[in-house]
Amino acid sequence: MIPFLSLREVTGLHGAEIQEAVKRVVESGWYLQGAENERFEGDYASFIGSKYCIGCANGLDALIWIFRAYIELGVMQAGDEVIVPANTFFATILAITENGLKPVLVEPSIETLEIDPARIEAAITSRTRAICIVHLYGRNAYLDRIGEICSMHNLKLIEDNAQAHGCKCDDGRKTGSIGDAAGHSFYPGKNLGALGDGGAVTTNDPELAAAVRALANYGSSAKYIFKYTGRNSRLDEIQAAVLDVKLKHLEADNAHRQQVAKMYYDGINNPLITLPKRLPDAQNVYHLFPVLCTKRNELQAYLKENGVETLIHYPIPPHKQECYAKASWNNGLQLPITEQIAAQELSLPIGPTIKTEDVAYIIDVINRF
């Protein structure tokens, strides 16, 4: 079986350095809010191109704290609207509703699978306060038109960069540095993954950065003094040390993903399989390699029979999840493009450790489907 992604092999790529980093933390006797966090936050901010990076417990919390900080700072209030792609992982929507904000779901382009800028302006109302773009699958979702809309309507631009560490937009800026703030996930399977959960917020706004840091530390910016009612959502020292090791190798690891993707784009030739629009390599770090197929379930079973593991991202879109069935913003919502993607999407194996001969085999199997 060719695995979808072997975390054991991914960790093994830089295993000696990771073990040394973990040992250093263990022997230091300091496990939270120490030198490892300070080092990683500085290195990751420099890598992304932002002034501030605040480590937190996970990617969902990173997005939650951005919206919560804007509420605490008076920029937003409960009931305000946030435009967000309908085709996204559930956590993007959850971060909005968790803060009492209203998600306004906008359909993607079927070619890019990302939010369709041509549909955004029609969704703006007097209560709209932000657009949250998602660099889904590792693809750059930002276009100049989105920035123009934000400027024209005085909207915050928030990035969900959970799947796109190291990706760039067309002017060379890295995703995560384009908007007013960005949430990042370091879940183990991500391009930059920890050995457990982890996340971060990046921003150039000092006031927002201070509010996020306090909120993720019980609401405290000074010991035993609480400005906000926050939560305990901190990145621990071991994860920070591991992430700092893997950050040094991220661009090389992403380059391997791009090589694999080139093989898929150049080699897959089956009229039953649709590949998303190809972006320049810099604009796609291929966290996932999605394809569309009207016979998706049959294709997945066929690949499994031939020793290829695949996953679906994602079989049920957010507006179809049971927990949102009675939500006021979801009353009669019709999103046919998003539902088509949910019914047809299949993710092929890709990662920094997959062998090119295995990729060639997968291509051959797919072309015989």
Side-chain angles (χ1 to χ4, degrees):
M1 178 68 71
I2 298 172
F4 181 76
L5 180 70
S6 170
L7 291 180
R8 181 188 294 273
E9 291 182 8
V10 170
T11 303
L13 273 179
H14 318 298
E17 292 176 79
I18 289 171
Q19 289 180 19
E20 181 59 36
V22 171
K23 179 182 177 184
R24 181 178 67 245
V25 176
V26 171
E27 292 180 348
S28 75
W30 195 286
Y31 308 125
L32 284 168
Q33 296 182 297
E36 300 293 346
N37 259 271
E38 185 176 351
R39 181 184 300 111
F40 172 67
E41 287 179 351
D43 289 345
Y44 193 62
S46 295
F47 176 79
I48 291 295
S50 62
K51 290 182 180 178
Y52 306 100
C53 171
I54 305 97
C56 58
N58 53 68
L60 171 59
D61 278 6
L63 291 172
I64 287 174
W65 299 136
I66 291 170
F67 290 114
R68 173 70 182 281
Y70 278 130
I71 290 171
E72 295 289 355
L73 296 172
V75 176
M76 300 179 190
Q77 61 182 348
D80 283 345
E81 297 173 355
V82 178
I83 291 174
V84 62
N87 181 43
T88 186
F89 178 56
F90 179 75
T92 316
I93 312 300
L94 186 58
I96 297 169
T97 60
E98 178 79 1
N99 281 289
L101 301 169
K102 178 183 176 182
V104 177
L105 277 59
V106 171
E107 287 268 60
S109 160
I110 193 62
E111 292 185 350
T112 67
L113 311 183
E114 307 288 348
I115 193 169
D116 187 346
R119 298 172 182 266
I120 291 176
E121 277 199 284
I124 295 174
T125 74
S126 61
R127 293 302 301 270
T128 307
R129 296 292 178 268
I131 298 173
C132 179
I133 59 173
V134 183
H135 304 293
L136 199 65
Y137 314 119
R139 298 170 60 91
N140 167 45
Y142 178 79
L143 296 171
D144 288 340
R145 181 58 186 152
I146 295 175
E148 291 167 0
I149 292 170
C150 286
S151 179
M152 188 186 316
H153 296 274
N154 194 28
L155 304 177
K156 295 295 184 184
L157 178 59
I158 297 164
E159 298 174 77
D160 181 339
N161 201 53
Q163 299 186 1
H165 317 99
C167 182
K168 296 180 180 178
C169 68
D170 59 3
D171 66 6
R173 289 179 296 167
K174 285 196 175 77
T175 58
S177 71
I178 300 165
D180 295 283
H184 307 254
S185 169
F186 305 125
Y187 182 80
K190 298 295 170 63
N191 292 38
L192 181 61
L195 299 185
D197 275 321
V201 172
T202 55
T203 183
N204 290 326
D205 183 340
E207 193 176 17
L208 182 72
V212 167
R213 190 174 294 283
L215 285 164
N217 186 36
Y218 301 100
S220 172
S221 54
K223 195 167 187 179
Y224 303 137
I225 299 173
F226 302 92
K227 184 175 182 179
Y228 311 111
T229 53
R231 285 214 314 258
N232 179 3
S233 175
R234 300 177 300 208
L235 184 67
D236 71 65
E237 289 286 277
I238 286 179
Q239 301 304 341
V242 169
L243 288 166
D244 206 51
V245 167
K246 296 180 78 173
L247 179 60
K248 298 170 187 173
H249 303 282
L250 178 59
E251 291 190 330
D253 291 346
N254 283 346
H256 183 78
R257 290 175 180 269
Q258 290 162 342
Q259 179 186 6
V260 171
K262 182 179 187 303
M263 292 181 67
Y264 281 144
Y265 270 111
D266 292 346
I268 293 175
N269 183 20
N270 185 321
L272 297 175
I273 311 294
T274 301
L275 277 58
K277 181 180 178 181
R278 192 170 183 175
L279 299 176
D281 271 354
Q283 294 189 49
N284 196 341
V285 293
Y286 296 101
H287 170 59
L288 300 171
F289 193 93
V291 301
L292 300 180
C293 180
T294 56
K295 298 181 177 180
R296 190 264 309 284
N297 294 342
E298 292 95 324
L299 174 61
Q300 185 174 42
Y302 164 79
L303 287 168
K304 183 178 180 180
E305 289 169 4
N306 284 273
V308 179
E309 183 183 25
T310 58
L311 293 177
I312 297 169
H313 296 92
Y314 301 94
I316 305 174
H319 72 288
K320 290 292 187 180
Q321 296 290 346
E322 183 179 354
C323 63
Y324 287 139
K326 296 180 181 179
S328 59
W329 55 265
N330 194 21
N331 185 25
L333 203 56
Q334 300 295 315
L335 298 167
I337 300 174
T338 296
E339 291 165 26
Q340 176 187 344
I341 294 170
Q344 296 182 6
E345 194 277 342
L346 189 67
S347 298
L348 305 181
I350 196 165
T353 62
I354 189 170
K355 299 178 178 64
T356 54
E357 54 264 36
D358 287 342
V359 179
Y361 170 76
I362 293 168
I363 292 168
D364 181 62
V365 171
I366 286 174
N367 287 343
R368 288 189 278 109
F369 175 69

